[in-house]
Amino acid sequence: MAITIQEVTTKKDLRRFARFPNELYRWNKYYVPQLVGADMDTLTREKNKAFEVCEGRYWLARNEKGTIVGRVAGIINHKYNDKTGIKYCRFGWIDFIESQEVVHALLSKVEEYAREKGMDIVEGPMGFLEFDVAGILVEGFDRLPTAYSKYNAPYYESLILNEGYTKVVDYVEYLVKIPKDLSRYEKFSKIVAERNNLREAPVKKRRDLLKYADGIFACLNRCYANIHGFSELSPAQCEDLKKQFLGQLVLDYVSVILDKNDKVVAFGICLPSLSLVLQKVKGHLFPFGFIEVLRALRHNDTVDALLIAIDDEYKDKGVNAMIASKIGAGFHKHGIKYLESTRELENNNSVQNMWSKLDHQLVKRARIYEKEV
């Protein structure tokens, strides 16, 4: 098969780039269609503040008939490279038909871009920031993806390994059954709060949460500083994330922990699962898809654990019980039966210890790869 690589330079081609996986997996019952408009915004310099510290280029692979058979992005996060002292080029937004020729053509283009920019290692799949989809699914092909993760076919890994890439780290996801009795969390959380002079932030309306938003992001930057692939979020990037997340949040599934000086020292955020509804609207919010999304935010039996962070000073002091008590009460109020952890690093023991005390099972695994260039 003769493969041609075309760089994405027009809005029309960017739309084709964003739509490709929805077409590739249109018959797959485990694939959740991507929101094309949202992906295009993420990939557009003028609409994504990540470009303050990142640069990127995108390519489509076409066969001899001109049909799109693959896509990939090449990304350099200069802030992360400065932090680590390593010259990384990331590959992301990678999808392809089952063809070694296609994968070779796509990854060779990213490697060429990396060398042009003086980079030493190509790593991925990763996005611009921590909140973009990362990893190749290697376990859990019979389950729907959670928020901010994505499905891919089983053949991806072997074709990537054949190009000389090796594993860096895995992300794992757990399915957790919500216990019917949360009284032990309630009792313990009161003890923890009194012992450490902590309290739950009074959040009744979204504008209340906005008061603590900057503190939440400051806490996130502190707690995630040493996580693989993470670079500190700038004020402008935080504003982007506020716009992206705030409208989706159910306040009963949000916990913000304050110290005696009203500083945010921990938080937890869960989001109602949107996987089934996004399948239903086929990745299109308009004209009526957003109504289905709003309904899913209010009527659901499954949530995705989006983020949790606890300052080092309060780790191993039971602060997670305060978070679990607050959010768990929301689960019971709304009839939530299951929680799915979104992708967490396999060596993130502090988070996984939370699930170990509950009825849980590991259901998905996604992998990051690298190659020296």
Side-chain angles (χ1 to χ4, degrees):
M1 183 182 352
I3 303 300
T4 302
I5 297 295
Q6 170 205 349
E7 184 165 2
V8 173
T9 57
T10 67
K11 187 174 182 179
K12 186 176 182 179
D13 283 337
L14 185 62
R15 182 171 294 278
R16 289 176 175 138
F17 183 95
R19 289 175 56 184
F20 174 68
N22 291 356
E23 296 166 357
L24 180 64
Y25 292 107
R26 62 187 180 277
W27 305 118
N28 190 301
K29 66 180 180 179
Y30 298 112
Y31 178 75
V32 174
Q34 304 296 288
L35 295 173
V36 173
D39 252 10
M40 290 182 67
D41 285 350
T42 300
L43 295 163
T44 300
R45 174 178 293 275
E46 293 75 20
K47 295 186 177 182
N48 186 353
K49 295 300 190 296
F51 280 95
E52 292 178 334
V53 297
C54 297
E55 62 176 279
R57 292 167 65 183
Y58 324 125
W59 296 276
L60 293 168
R62 295 180 183 270
N63 64 17
E64 59 273 11
K65 296 180 180 179
T67 303
I68 296 173
V69 291
R71 68 168 189 172
V72 73
I75 297 164
I76 299 173
N77 184 322
H78 295 287
K79 191 171 186 176
Y80 183 71
N81 288 357
D82 291 343
K83 168 187 161 183
T84 61
I86 301 173
K87 296 179 180 180
Y88 287 109
C89 175
R90 302 175 174 187
F91 71 89
W93 279 269
I94 186 166
D95 289 287
F96 44 83
I97 64 169
E98 190 171 2
S99 165
Q100 193 70 57
E101 293 167 285
V102 172
V103 177
H104 179 74
L106 290 170
L107 290 177
S108 292
K109 183 56 69 173
V110 177
E111 293 161 16
E112 178 186 317
Y113 169 58
R115 287 189 290 268
E116 288 175 2
K117 291 292 182 176
M119 301 295 109
D120 296 326
I121 296 174
V122 172
E123 182 181 57
M126 299 176 72
F128 298 97
L129 300 176
E130 176 75 13
F131 301 97
D132 296 323
V133 174
I136 290 293
L137 187 68
V138 294
E139 294 178 22
F141 299 105
D142 58 348
R143 303 191 68 88
L144 294 175
T146 53
Y148 303 97
S149 62
K150 192 169 78 69
Y151 183 87
N152 61 257
Y155 60 77
Y156 276 42
E157 180 177 47
S158 62
L159 298 185
I160 289 172
L161 291 175
N162 289 344
E163 294 300 317
Y165 286 79
T166 57
K167 172 190 169 180
V168 178
V169 70
D170 282 356
Y171 293 97
V172 291
E173 294 188 25
Y174 293 88
L175 179 67
V176 181
K177 189 175 181 180
I178 305 301
K180 293 181 179 179
D181 183 8
L182 293 171
S183 58
R184 66 189 177 109
Y185 289 100
E186 294 168 5
K187 293 175 183 176
F188 189 50
S189 68
K190 291 177 182 177
I191 295 172
V192 171
E194 292 174 4
R195 183 181 297 161
N196 296 283
N197 205 359
L198 300 175
R199 67 188 180 96
E200 182 74 39
V203 176
K204 303 298 182 183
K205 298 180 180 179
R206 281 188 170 79
R207 65 171 175 264
D208 298 331
L209 187 60
L210 274 174
K211 291 190 299 185
Y212 301 106
D214 290 340
I216 289 171
F217 285 115
C219 180
L220 186 148
N221 276 334
R222 294 192 301 272
C223 295
Y224 281 45
N226 296 318
I227 287 181
H228 186 86
F230 181 80
S231 59
E232 182 178 337
L233 298 170
S234 71
Q237 290 162 8
C238 292
E239 288 300 319
D240 263 6
L241 290 168
K242 287 179 195 177
K243 295 174 185 175
Q244 181 179 348
F245 286 110
L246 190 61
Q248 300 180 36
L249 296 182
V250 175
L251 297 184
D252 286 334
Y253 306 156
V254 177
S255 172
V256 181
I257 307 299
L258 308 176
D259 69 4
K260 62 182 179 181
N261 299 313
D262 284 346
K263 174 186 174 183
V264 176
V265 295
F267 69 90
I269 299 174
C270 294
L271 185 71
S273 175
L274 298 177
S275 298
L276 287 172
V277 71
L278 289 177
Q279 278 192 329
K280 185 175 181 179
V281 304
K282 302 186 185 302
H284 298 286
L285 289 181
F286 299 98
F288 303 114
F290 74 97
I291 297 174
E292 297 292 341
V293 170
L294 290 174
R295 185 177 291 122
L297 290 173
R298 292 173 173 80
H299 305 286
N300 216 316
D301 70 350
T302 303
V303 297
D304 294 339
L306 199 61
L307 289 168
I308 185 168
I310 301 173
D311 267 348
D312 286 345
E313 180 183 353
Y314 294 99
K315 281 185 177 176
D316 303 319
K317 292 186 177 182
V319 176
N320 56 320
M322 293 181 66
I323 296 172
S325 178
K326 161 62 165 63
I327 296 178
F331 292 166
H332 281 189
K333 176 182 175 181
H334 296 282
I336 299 299
K337 298 177 181 178
Y338 300 99
L339 175 147
E340 284 203 73
S341 69
T342 48
R343 293 181 178 179
E344 58 198 52
L345 289 169
E346 61 184 340
N347 54 8
N348 191 343
N349 296 324
S350 60
V351 173
Q352 287 159 34
N353 284 340
M354 291 177 58
W355 315 138
S356 68
K357 298 175 176 62
L358 300 167
D359 184 352
H360 73 291
Q361 59 177 315
L362 194 156
V363 291
K364 276 172 277 186
R365 183 181 295 270
R367 188 158 291 163
I368 301 291
Y369 307 86
E370 70 175 15
K371 178 181 177 180
E372 292 186 8
V373 294

